[in-house]
Amino acid sequence: MLEITVNGIPYTLEELPGEKLSDLLRERLHLTGTKIGCGEGRCSICTVLVDGVPTRSCLTRSAKVNGKSILTIEGLRALRPQHQQDQREDLKALHPLQEAFITHGAIQCGFCTPGQLLTAHALLQNNPDPSVDEIRAAMNDVICRCGSYEAILSAIQAAAQAMREDGHVRPRQVVLGAQDLTHIGKPIARPDAVAKAIGTAKYTDDLQFEGLLYARVLRAGVPSAILRSLDTTKAQALSGVVKILTAKDLQHERKHGVYKKDWPILVGIDERVRYQGDAIALVAAETQAIADEAVQLIQPEYELRPVVSNPFQAREEGAEQLHDQGNTLKHIHFNKGDLEVGFAEADVIVEHTFSTPFMEHLFMEPECSIAVPGEDGGLELFVGSQIPFDDRRQVAEATGLPLEKVRVRGQKTGGAFGGKEDVAGQIHASLLAVATRRPVKLLFTRRESMLVHPKRHATSIKLRLGATQDGTLTAIQTELYGDTGAYASLGVPVMTRATTHSCGPYVIPHTHADCYAMYTNNPPAGAFRGFGVVQAAFGIESAMDMLAEELQLDPLAMRKQNCLHIGSTTNTGHYLTESVGLPECLDAISRWWAENGITVPFEPQTEEIRGQRLITCWGLACGFKNTGLGTGADDSSGVILKLLPAGRLQIKSGASEVGQGMLTTLQLIAAEVMSIPPDNINVYVMDTERTLDGGPTTASRQTYVTGNAVRQAANALRDRILDLLSKRFGVDAAAIQLSTEGAFWAEKRVSWQEVHDLLKQTPEGLEVECRYHAPETFPLDVGGRIHIAYGFAVQAVKVGINTETGGVKALRVVAANDAGRIINPLGFQSQVEGGVIMGIGHALMEDFKVEEGVIKSDRIARYDVPRMQDLPEITSIIVESKTSEGPFGAKGVGELVCVPTPPAITNAIYHAIGLRIDSLPVTKEKIKDWLEAHT
Ligand code: FES
Ligand code: FES
């Protein structure tokens, strides 16, 4: 027997052989606050304290903790110091660390939060006044893929101070935009942050269902083959196996795809395997262990085929043809002016090819779907997804159920970054649930997650860029190859964005771009924060610096000379009439350098930093990123607004909150219109039965599109209330004002409760439904206004290079962003810091390796991402160049911020040591080899 104490409660439990502590906590004690990110000891988000020591519960056997005392996230609030004072009603009885994490914006998706909080608690127990370096060292093992490191650092400092002093957690100072409105622009904490901080927030894997079956998918394992036979006999005979499905069991749609249906739900006999992650068979069993064992017993036979391992090979004559249409998913191109004329006018032309690798989202919550059959023959699907309504469509098509019989209930989502747009296990879990009439859970292992879901496109970009002697750009030609892997996923829109952004945010009279999005036998590539624009920016921003050097011009001045501005036309023919803050962003960086005494930013220096002798230098890059779907798509979102009793409001939206902070954005917009405090507004999202389709959470569109839907609905509800009161009390509607208490005019006061009761009796009632359609855009071949708006960014990055080891660190980042009006500065700050961290990962470490179609980066141990020690000092500068159509002038920021970081870093490396990095990521070996050859 095991004798343990968990959160102060003693337990005597049967000892189960081989059981992990995380399973004991989550499954036997139902303490699901402890999250599992990898199960391989690499992310540390499963950390609990065993006798006060941070311990990875996924690696620790239960038997090892016999006689010990365990603290999980659920027990932290009880350890709140006695002198801790309650600052806010909703933060009552929280530990200062929990309060600080919430109010400092350290909780985004929240999946890593339990591990972060417990590790921080252990640190403060041993060291009540830790230095920044001590915090960095203590927290380094716990990955936060949302990149909340700066906020976590500041929260730990604030909590430590509160615990040492008066119990008061100081608020975080964040950069504010305009302050001319009541709610918009005021920093607020996320409404879901408390549950995430105390461990009660439920993600899909935390849900419990009676009679639950566990699923596992047999994956092909080979990248290119024809499936010739499949023997499931041994697996069928295994006790505890309830159902095995293969392609012959598919009775309805056989393929899925968020953009194009080319991805087999299950590969059938004599059908083609196109990548290692292809699904061959599905197993549902009474336990996960049985399901895992059963897939090992299934025997497939393959006829191996040649592997198409890159997009160049895919275009070669005689290459293995992977799809009926051949290997070209799409040739994307545009042309403006006359290239020959443009290059003839140029005094200098630079020509270079740049390449970027596949990147893995590595959201901390692995994909999980639970499908539950209903008594009416329908199906409920619980899942963290970026597009719940599209999941519903795809599940209905695959199961043959009518659309209205499938209800997708989106759950808290532990990060997505584009990687949860395609279906993962949604269809497979649903098929098994329909076949067994029992609830079925399909939880990916980390390895399966890395193997299966689409990546950032590995891209090659060849550029030819010309300018006159004074630095005026005359012509640009770009040729891109995007490796879209085995299936289309979102390859067409992603590579379209890469193409349209490949000429940069500059005025160039003569432009021509060609892009080949090619099928290969690599994992599919699709949406990833930045959506093709990150790759494009690496090319053009590197080429801009190369051109500036050739012309002996200042890189910032040359960008300023050519940058888009109001009254200019983009390279795809969009005449810009408003909201182009790029010149202001460039000015902001110049000003910041001047104010901080940096007079020669591009001159290398030698500095002693944290005991290391480093060559330091600054680099610079610009970026722009479309807001919204654009290129002719109907970009719309529906919301339902309802006035509740006692001055409360409910927003219902089908849009997904995946950690980006949309909930506060919608709260603040409604609050501003209705004069109801954000705390009194609840936002219910992601339920295909109870909400209206909000469209995908992609393209940095939810602030603009769903935000506008909320604004319009709130305006309609407000008008309805004013009209009602006007008629009822015989007062001019224009004289009525709304406030936090209700409506008032002259001496008259009508409380929100009275307004509610009056409105309820009207035929229109308490609810307003609204569908907002963004302004029309045009396809690329039509040109002109292809997007509703663009965000603009400039980043300056100071790097430090260790000439002995070849190591490179981003030491300081100054990020100026024009995302239009800032709705919630706290959420904005989180997005800026998280985006910069992701950009640093792209530049300096992340490389999802695939060799001949075989995935090498199949666990976190083989895929490096930024950790706390990689955090630079980040300065955010807000440039609010408002749009007339966006809600209160907002655009979108989620993707924009990670666009300029990689080229700003590689440009800094060039200024520092003369090495032009043209393929990412930068490695120690590249730096060392260069230094050895050039010193
Ligand atoms: S280290 Fe335990 S889940 Fe990652
Ligand atoms: S908040 Fe840390 S992984 Fe999302």
Side-chain angles (χ1 to χ4, degrees), residues 168-203:
H168 176 68
V169 174
R170 269 79 183 162
R172 187 174 182 207
Q173 299 303 318
V174 294
V175 191
L176 302 177
Q179 293 294 300
D180 55 329
L181 295 172
T182 308
H183 298 288
I184 299 287
K186 307 289 189 289
I188 63 164
R190 294 164 189 250
D192 53 352
V194 173
K196 288 173 176 176
I198 63 177
T200 57
K202 298 288 180 217
Y203 299 76

Side-chain angles (χ1 to χ4, degrees), residues 35-46 56-59:
K35 305 299 180 203
I36 305 302
C38 68
E40 59 177 82
R42 283 285 166 167
C43 72
S44 291
I45 70 169
C46 63
R56 287 166 294 186
S57 61
C58 78
L59 287 188

